[in-house]
Amino acid sequence: MSATLKLVTPLPELGSQVRELAVDPASGDHHIDRRSPERTVLGRIASIMESFDGGQQVLGLGLLSERTGLPKSTLHRLADQLCQVGWIARDSGGYRLGMRMFELGSLALEGNTLHEAALPHLQALAAKTGMSVHLGILDHAEVVHLEKVTAGSPRFSSRRGSRSPAYCSALGKALAAFDDDAVPTILSSPMPRRTAATITEPFLFRAELNRVRKTGVAFDRGEMNESLVCVAAPIGRAGDTIGAVSLTGATGGMRWNLAAEAVIGTASAIWNANHQYRKVGVRH
């Protein structure tokens, strides 16, 4: 039988965090009890920060409690500390993201070579087509939008820094098709049916990726949102794909062949530009 020793480690800005060490009386050995992230202070803070999205800028304490599963008393204490460091800010209706988060996010993008190399080409593609253009990378089973450029209308709700499921997005398919390690992660994650066109069966998803590998272009025919369609191409080559670029438009308004040629050409231009950036040593 083992006893449990609790140690409290004070964190000046985040309160105190309890770590549990299991002690074996026979050997005297200790090991850290690896608790789930949501039970740690940092895990709770992460759940608070991830509750903010583009749909609702200001979140009240009740909604934060609903989204995080944390009691209001805990949320109030952590929110006060997050306000002190500028990560969130008080608002008349609750809390919003603080300017410090904007500053940190901007620093992350400024240090991203792919973003800097791609931006002029994304702007050119948007101006040429009058559609929304996205630059994305894969993060586990989701696509992170590094950039969005829109010329004209309609304007869609996605934004820089937003995420979308990889299994039902053109960007996600374009990235996963050339990343064998990503496919099991995507298939082991939830794949709910969002529209009648959503691919949710693993064997059909794999077949879709095979088509992307052959053609070099991926399609979303209303799989995430029945009113939107998308065409995407990977940036790079098999085994060395660094991102993907896409065009998004309203259902019925997409000229599929022209859009495919456009994203493939833009993806190639971004690949060459990114290679040149790295060759001359611009912001690694």
Side-chain angles (χ1 to χ4, degrees), residues 1-3 9 13 32 40-41 57-58 73 102 113 139 155-156 164 176 180 186 199-200 208 223 229 235 260 269:
M1 183 179 295
S2 64
T9 304
E13 294 181 348
I32 296 177
T40 67
V41 172
Q57 300 294 331
V58 179
S73 58
F102 172 77
T113 305
D139 181 25
R155 298 182 180 274
F156 308 115
S164 60
D180 292 338
I186 294 172
I199 298 174
T200 60
E208 181 80 353
E223 296 171 43
V229 293
I235 301 169

Side-chain angles (χ1 to χ4, degrees), residues 235-257:
I235 301 169
R237 50 182 179 269
D240 192 17
T241 300
I242 59 174
V245 60
S246 71
L247 275 173
T248 302
T251 301
M254 180 70 74
R255 301 174 67 181
W256 296 99
N257 290 336

Side-chain angles (χ1 to χ4, degrees), residues 116-127 133 149 245 265-274:
E116 294 194 5
L119 188 56
H121 301 284
L122 301 178
Q123 293 169 334
L125 181 60
V133 179
V149 179
V245 60
T266 299
S268 178
I270 293 172
W271 170 261
N272 292 332
N274 185 72

Side-chain angles (χ1 to χ4, degrees), residues 190-228:
M191 298 174 65
R193 186 174 299 281
R194 290 172 170 255
T195 72
T198 307
I199 298 174
T200 60
E201 296 79 9
F203 76 96
L204 290 178
F205 182 73
R206 290 184 182 276
E208 181 80 353
L209 296 187
N210 285 334
R211 284 192 286 273
V212 176
R213 294 186 191 101
K214 292 177 181 178
T215 62
V217 64
F219 301 100
D220 164 14
R221 297 181 174 87
E223 296 171 43
M224 186 183 305
N225 184 324
E226 61 185 9
S227 64
L228 300 177

Side-chain angles (χ1 to χ4, degrees), residues 35-255:
R35 297 177 298 158
S36 57
E38 63 273 13
R39 292 182 58 194
T40 67
V41 172
L42 290 179
R44 290 172 178 176
I45 287 173
S47 70
I48 292 172
M49 302 307 298
E50 291 169 0
S51 296
F52 292 91
D53 56 35
Q56 194 166 348
Q57 300 294 331
V58 179
L59 303 180
L61 206 59
L63 186 54
L64 276 174
S65 180
E66 179 182 327
R67 293 188 177 187
T68 63
L70 297 173
K72 291 183 180 180
S73 58
T74 300
L75 278 170
H76 190 272
R77 174 174 56 83
L78 292 176
D80 280 347
Q81 295 167 358
L82 290 171
C83 285
Q84 291 175 23
V85 296
W87 290 10
I88 64 175
R90 291 181 181 84
D91 194 276
S92 57
Y95 299 93
R96 57 177 173 78
L97 288 177
M99 288 303 296
R100 183 56 180 157
M101 295 304 297
F102 172 77
E103 293 168 1
L104 293 173
S106 298
L107 287 174
L109 270 185
E110 286 179 10
N112 187 284
T113 305
L114 173 60
H115 178 267
E116 294 194 5
L119 188 56
H121 301 284
L122 301 178
Q123 293 169 334
L125 181 60
K128 177 181 178 181
T129 62
M131 302 175 72
S132 292
V133 179
H134 291 86
L135 172 70
I137 58 173
L138 200 60
D139 181 25
H140 300 289
E142 295 181 313
V143 174
V144 178
H145 299 122
L146 290 185
E147 186 57 86
K148 173 188 176 181
V149 179
T150 300
S153 59
R155 298 182 180 274
F156 308 115
S157 61
S158 61
R159 67 192 189 286
R160 180 196 293 180
S162 64
R163 290 171 175 262
S164 60
Y167 74 98
C168 58
S169 66
L171 281 171
K173 294 176 191 177
L175 291 162
F178 299 96
D179 186 348
D180 292 338
D181 293 335
V183 178
T185 300
I186 294 172
L187 292 179
S188 64
S189 300
M191 298 174 65
R193 186 174 299 281
R194 290 172 170 255
T195 72
T198 307
I199 298 174
T200 60
E201 296 79 9
F203 76 96
L204 290 178
F205 182 73
R206 290 184 182 276
E208 181 80 353
L209 296 187
N210 285 334
R211 284 192 286 273
V212 176
R213 294 186 191 101
K214 292 177 181 178
T215 62
V217 64
F219 301 100
D220 164 14
R221 297 181 174 87
E223 296 171 43
M224 186 183 305
N225 184 324
E226 61 185 9
S227 64
L228 300 177
V229 293
C230 187
V231 182
I235 301 169
R237 50 182 179 269
D240 192 17
T241 300
I242 59 174
V245 60
S246 71
L247 275 173
T248 302
T251 301
M254 180 70 74
R255 301 174 67 181

